[in-house]
Amino acid sequence: VLIDWINDVLVEERIIVKQLEEDLYDGQVLQKLLEKLADRKLNVAEVTQSEIGQKQKLQTVLEAVHDLLRPHGWTIKWNVDSIHGKNLISILHLLVALAMHFRAPIRLPEHVSVQVVVVRKREGLLQTTHVSEELTTTTEVLTFSLERDAFDTLFDHAPDKLSVVKKSLITFVNKHLNKLNLEVTELETQFADGVYLVLLMGLLEDYFVPLHNFYLTPESFDQKVHNVSFAFELMQDGGLKKPKARPEDVVNLDLKSTLRVLYNLFTKYKNVE
C-alpha cells in the first residue's frame, strides 16, 4: 500500500520505488516525496554519492519531517542512522506517519505489528530477545479523527442511540430521494459511490445536476472518490463548511464519516420540503 502511494505521488517525477529499504535509505526519494506532499522546496544537493553527503541530505529531510510532525505530538521512531542503515521498521514508521499526517488517500490495515529480534552482547555472549513492534493502530487513529465530536461519543458510549440517529437520517434522505423513486436502507453502503450524495444535494438545493459532472455508474475507486468530492463541492457551494470526513473514507464504507456528512445536511436542510 505504501509503495503504491509513493509511486502515485511521484508519478510526475518519473520515480518508481520497488523496494523501500533500497530506494529510500539515501534521502533522495524521501526528499522528493516530502517536497511533493508539503509543497515546498528543500535546500539540499540534488545527487549525493558519498555516504557523508547522503547522511547530510537525509538529516535535512528528516529535520523538515520532524518540524511538521512534532507539533502534532508524533513520536519519532526513526533517525538518520536507522534510515540510512536500511532499517525497514524505521522506514515503515516514517512512511506511516507521513501518510497519516498528509491524509494519504489509502487504507492502511489496522493493528499491524512485527516481531523484531533484538541482539545484545552481554559478557562476551550474544543474547537475543523478541520484541513486538506496532506499525499501525486503529482506524480511529489511521483516519485522523483527532478532534473528537458527538459521533465519537455516540460510537463509544451510546451505540444504542446510534440506531435512532441512523433512522432519523434515513427518513430525512428518503423524504427527498423518493422524489426520484430512489430509496436508502443502508447508510453504510448506499452513499459510498457518491451518486446519491450528488443527487441529494441537487434535490435539497433545487437544481438539476448535469450528468456529465459525475459518474452515474462509477466503477473504479477513483470515480467514486470523484463523485463524493464533487458532492462535497456542492455542499460548500450551498454554504456548508468543508466536511471533516475525507471522500476516501466515505468510499471506504467508514460509517462514522458518512454519518458526519449526512448529519451536516440534516442540520441545515431538515425543514426543506
Side-chain angles (χ1 to χ4, degrees):
V1 172
L2 289 168
I3 287 175
D4 287 347
W5 168 59
I6 295 170
N7 287 335
D8 280 348
V9 174
L10 297 178
V11 68
E12 288 169 13
E13 302 283 336
R14 294 196 163 82
I15 290 172
I16 295 175
V17 169
K18 290 181 178 165
Q19 234 186 329
L20 293 177
E21 309 96 295
E22 294 301 325
D23 295 340
L24 299 192
Y25 81 96
D26 62 359
Q28 183 78 18
V29 174
L30 279 175
Q31 173 209 339
K32 297 289 183 199
L33 182 66
L34 186 65
E35 287 181 339
K36 202 84 176 157
L37 292 170
D39 198 21
R40 56 177 277 204
K41 199 93 179 92
L42 292 180
N43 187 19
V44 286
E46 269 306 305
V47 179
T48 44
Q49 298 298 338
S50 71
E51 185 175 326
I52 293 170
Q54 288 174 352
K55 284 192 167 180
Q56 283 172 341
K57 178 177 203 157
L58 197 52
Q59 179 77 42
T60 308
V61 174
L62 292 183
E63 277 171 7
V65 170
H66 300 167
D67 290 345
L68 283 169
L69 298 181
R70 272 213 191 92
H72 297 279
W74 284 101
T75 312
I76 306 298
K77 296 181 177 177
W78 57 84
N79 56 41
V80 171
D81 289 331
S82 67
I83 302 282
H84 195 268
K86 303 183 184 180
N87 180 318
L88 181 59
I89 306 297
S90 293
I91 292 170
L92 287 172
H93 276 308
L94 169 61
L95 291 176
V96 167
L98 284 174
M100 290 165 67
H101 178 77
F102 286 104
R103 297 175 165 244
I106 55 176
R107 193 76 168 174
L108 289 169
E110 293 184 30
H111 297 299
V112 176
S113 56
V114 285
Q115 292 297 317
V116 182
V117 181
V118 181
V119 182
R120 287 194 180 88
K121 196 171 187 178
R122 272 211 180 134
E123 296 165 8
L125 294 171
L126 293 179
Q127 293 186 333
T128 60
T129 48
H130 290 262
V131 182
S132 184
E133 183 82 20
E134 192 174 48
L135 293 172
T136 67
T137 51
T138 59
T139 308
E140 198 58 20
V141 179
L142 293 172
T143 48
F144 332 100
S145 41
L146 302 173
E147 308 156 38
R148 292 179 63 74
D149 62 11
F151 281 103
D152 294 304
T153 313
L154 260 183
F155 272 74
D156 294 347
H157 306 295
D160 49 321
K161 292 190 180 140
L162 190 59
S163 59
V164 179
V165 172
K166 282 167 77 173
K167 207 176 249 178
S168 304
L169 290 176
I170 284 176
T171 306
F172 162 70
V173 296
N174 281 336
K175 174 175 147 188
H176 299 283
L177 288 173
N178 286 165
K179 296 168 191 167
L180 297 176
N181 291 326
L182 301 171
E183 186 168 10
V184 169
T185 51
E186 286 284 320
L187 291 180
E188 292 95 322
T189 54
Q190 286 182 272
F191 284 98
D193 65 5
V195 175
Y196 280 13
L197 270 182
V198 171
L199 297 174
L200 185 60
M201 278 314 298
L203 291 161
L204 294 170
E205 283 285 344
D206 199 21
Y207 54 69
F208 175 75
V209 184
L211 297 178
H212 63 263
N213 283 104
F214 66 106
Y215 298 94
L216 200 53
T217 51
E219 286 164 15
S220 67
F221 183 82
D222 287 344
Q223 289 180 353
K224 292 173 186 177
V225 169
H226 168 88
N227 282 356
V228 178
S229 303
F230 177 56
F232 283 9
E233 284 171 30
L234 298 180
M235 289 170 201
Q236 286 168 267
D237 289 347
L240 282 160
K241 277 189 188 161
K242 187 178 183 204
K244 227 171 90 170
R246 303 179 317 149
E248 292 83 6
D249 295 333
V250 175
V251 177
N252 278 324
L253 308 181
D254 182 60
L255 177 60
K256 207 184 286 185
S257 298
T258 307
L259 291 179
R260 283 191 177 109
V261 172
L262 294 175
Y263 187 73
N264 276 351
L265 294 180
F266 173 76
T267 312
K268 178 171 183 190
Y269 296 105
K270 58 178 181 278
N271 297 321
V272 171
E273 277 312 313

